[in-house]
Amino acid sequence: RKEVEQDPGPFNVPEGATVAFNCTYSNSASQSFFWYRQDCRKEPKLLMSVYSSGNEDGRFTAQLNRASQYISLLIRDSKLSDSATYLCVVMDSSYKLIFGSGTRLLVRP
Amino acid sequence: GAVVSQHPSWVICKSGTSVKIECRSLDFQATTMFWYRQFPKKSLMLMATSNEGSKATYEQGVEKDKFLINHASLTLSTLTVTSAHPEDSSFYICSAIQGLNQPQHFGDGTRLSIL
């Protein structure tokens, strides 16, 4: 079983749509959680950290359920520029980042 | 803030060549730097963790004599792919952190193509 699992997609949605990505992780000792965004042939860029209380940054909302070992990302009012691969990332107890393989989002006009 | 620069961004060279990639934290001191490799449509895979002034810690399956890492200062780490072969062709990315449990900031990545 992969340490961090994501649906690879692609998710193909119209502009303005709301889209949700899910992620599960296997190591219950994981201590920090992040969503990164990666554009084609580019480096990952931190989108947001994820907290148990849930957190929001503009159109983006992240949720963490430690009991279920489940992380989500919700994007509201999607823009063309949101098209990218979204990486679910977990930091283990050794402070190493474990990356999911990413979920690809395509936002169409 | 938290800018990480990686150089070069693209390398094409012949099989057997050694290639050096630099990773610099431009506006902060990085206690730790990480080196990743990413094959097409795959996850980033951690190759090694590099702490300033000490030997790098390599992940299982990564040959330390093949991938030489030097972390000479708090702002610079280098990865040398020795005697590169076509199967070493990949996207190599470094990252740096200011402290433990902090988000990692990534360099631009280096696309390595070995002919």
Side-chain angles (χ1 to χ4, degrees):
Chain A
R1 183 188 169 188
K2 290 182 183 176
E3 290 189 72
V4 179
E5 294 212 53
Q6 293 181 253
D7 181 341
F11 285 60
N12 191 323
V13 302
E15 264 187 295
T18 296
V19 62
F21 304 139
N22 303 318
C23 166
T24 57
Y25 60 96
S26 60
N27 187 349
S28 59
S30 301
Q31 47 183 315
S32 299
F33 309 87
F34 309 94
W35 283 101
Y36 278 77
R37 168 194 170 131
Q38 186 174 27
D39 292 288
C40 189
R41 296 177 172 263
K42 298 284 188 183
E43 78 281 13
K45 292 188 177 173
L46 179 65
L47 184 64
M48 57 199 304
S49 301
V50 189
Y51 305 110
S52 298
S53 53
N55 49 302
E56 189 174 306
D57 183 0
R59 298 181 292 109
F60 299 85
T61 302
Q63 293 275 357
L64 165 65
N65 185 322
R66 282 190 182 267
S68 303
Q69 295 179 201
Y70 172 94
I71 307 163
S72 66
L73 176 68
L74 183 77
I75 304 176
R76 289 182 299 278
D77 188 23
S78 51
K79 312 290 184 191
L80 295 176
S81 56
D82 293 334
S83 297
T85 297
Y86 290 83
L87 305 173
C88 177
V89 184
V90 171
M91 182 181 285
D92 71 11
S93 53
S94 304
Y95 304 103
K96 293 178 186 175
L97 291 187
I98 312 297
F99 286 79
S101 52
T103 299
R104 199 161 153 234
L105 172 65
L106 300 171
V107 181
R108 64 180 187 271
Chain B
V3 176
V4 176
S5 170
Q6 194 171 333
H7 177 81
S9 55
W10 200 293
V11 180
I12 302 174
C13 56
K14 293 180 180 178
S15 187
T17 308
S18 291
V19 178
K20 182 190 261 188
I21 303 169
E22 292 187 350
C23 179
R24 293 180 187 273
S25 55
L26 298 184
D27 54 356
F28 66 100
Q29 291 188 325
T31 55
T32 303
M33 290 185 172
F34 302 88
W35 287 96
Y36 295 84
R37 181 165 54 179
Q38 185 178 32
F39 291 106
K41 299 189 179 181
K42 299 292 185 183
S43 312
L44 271 76
M45 296 300 295
L46 180 64
M47 298 176 68
T49 302
S50 170
N51 292 297
E52 184 264 339
S54 61
K55 288 184 180 180
T57 303
Y58 289 81
E59 295 300 299
Q60 194 172 12
V62 178
E63 300 173 57
K64 61 181 181 180
D65 295 329
K66 171 81 172 175
F67 300 98
L68 302 178
I69 292 172
N70 184 280
H71 196 151
S73 74
L74 283 171
T75 59
L76 173 63
S77 176
T78 62
L79 167 68
T80 301
V81 184
T82 60
S83 187
H85 288 93
E87 59 266 28
D88 298 322
S89 298
S90 187
F91 189 45
Y92 291 85
I93 312 175
C94 72
S95 70
I97 56 173
Q98 293 174 267
L100 294 176
N101 208 26
Q102 295 296 307
Q104 292 183 18
H105 300 281
F106 287 84
D108 301 337
T110 297
R111 198 158 297 280
L112 176 62
S113 296
I114 307 297
L115 305 177

